[in-house]
Each structure stands twice: as C-alpha cells, then as structure tokens.
Amino acid sequence: MQNLSGNIVLPANEEAQTEEPAEQAEKPFEQKTQNPVMDNLAGTWTGEEYIEKILILRGGRGFIVYKNGASMNISVSADGDLILIKQKGKPNASFYPELPRQEALKIAAEAKPIEWTLTLAGQTLTGTKKTLVADRKSSTGVSEGTVTVTWTKLH
C-alpha cells in the first residue's frame, strides 16, 4: 500500500500495539540521579571578594555574577573528590577585577580560561583558582597564577 506521497506504508501490526501492564502505567515517575555530588553542588554559592554570587545548576552548568556586573558561564564536573569548574566562552577583562583595569584590558583577550579545582566538605567548597594575577616581574605586569578560594553554599 502507498500513501499520497508515494511512500510504501506497511499495515499496522496489532500485536505490536499492546498496552503497558497496569502496574507500569500506575508507577509514579522516578527521577534517576546521575551523580549525587553534582546534585549537592546545585545552588547559590558565595565566597570570593569580587564575586556577587555563583549559581551552579544541575547538569554541569552554571554562571558567576561579578560585583562589577560581569557574568561568566561555567561548566562544572566532578572527578572523584575533585570538583572542576571552568570558564566557558570568551575571556573578558571584567573577569579580572583584582587587576588594574588597563592591564586586564591588555591581557584578557589572550588569557586562558579561569579554572577552579575544589573539594566539597558539607556546604563548603575549598581549593584553588587558576587565573591571572599581578606580577611585577612580568613584562606585562600580569602572569598566570593560583590563588586559594573558599565558597560557601547559601541555598
């Protein structure tokens, strides 16, 4: 048999169209958790001097809102006990409010993405942030460095 488009249409197999058993149809929706660590991370965090808040969403995404108004998209992943957070998208001088503005403007376009390597203990994330830091020995006045950070979950 063919439909109006000329495609071949096979007759429906009535046996293949059986209904689900009543037990399965009455079962409530069960949400399967892929990673309980990621679920525990979801929420609003605070902790760095120049950051207003950090929002971590389920599914490994989130964003950071800086006190200067800048917003950074982030990816979030868990590798054993380590929580890895990485800047997504283009670099922006506003992501480096601790640096003099002119230096941040000069170097931000070529900067590597900011990365956090943290561990979770209760409602606290502690670890390091790989970012640009002031460096008087550098010809640009800035170099890649690591700073210690602590984030606290608000809700």
Side-chain angles (χ1 to χ4, degrees):
M1 181 183 331
Q2 292 184 350
N3 65 12
L4 295 176
S5 301
N7 296 325
I8 297 174
V9 178
L10 299 174
N13 182 348
E14 290 181 18
E15 290 177 20
Q17 296 178 358
T18 58
E19 292 184 22
E20 293 182 29
E23 302 169 8
Q24 287 181 347
E26 293 174 11
K27 249 187 188 178
F29 175 75
E30 293 179 23
Q31 184 176 355
K32 294 182 181 179
T33 304
Q34 295 293 330
N35 187 335
V37 172
M38 293 298 290
D39 285 346
N40 289 337
L41 291 175
T44 305
W45 297 78
T46 188
E48 293 185 43
E49 181 181 357
Y50 297 101
I51 293 177
E52 183 71 32
K53 61 184 166 184
I54 301 111
L55 292 153
I56 299 178
L57 308 172
R58 287 183 170 84
R61 297 177 298 120
F63 57 95
I64 294 174
V65 178
Y66 286 84
K67 290 180 180 177
N68 63 15
S71 174
M72 173 197 295
N73 290 322
I74 56 173
S75 66
V76 182
S77 61
D79 184 10
D81 292 340
L82 292 179
I83 309 302
L84 307 170
I85 300 175
K86 295 181 182 180
Q87 169 192 331
K88 289 293 184 192
K90 294 180 181 181
N92 183 329
S94 296
F95 297 165
Y96 309 98
E98 61 277 4
L99 298 175
R101 183 71 177 162
Q102 290 306 314
E103 290 178 10
L105 287 167
K106 288 178 192 173
I107 197 97
E110 290 85 33
K112 292 181 182 177
I114 298 172
E115 296 182 7
W116 291 261
T117 303
L118 308 167
T119 55
L120 178 64
Q123 300 292 301
T124 304
L125 284 166
T126 55
T128 58
K129 173 183 176 179
K130 191 185 303 181
T131 186
L132 296 178
V133 295
D135 181 358
R136 293 183 185 172
K137 296 177 185 177
S138 169
S139 62
T140 61
V142 175
S143 65
E144 188 174 287
T146 304
V147 294
T148 302
V149 295
T150 300
W151 294 357
T152 304
K153 192 170 186 179
L154 297 175
H155 41 68

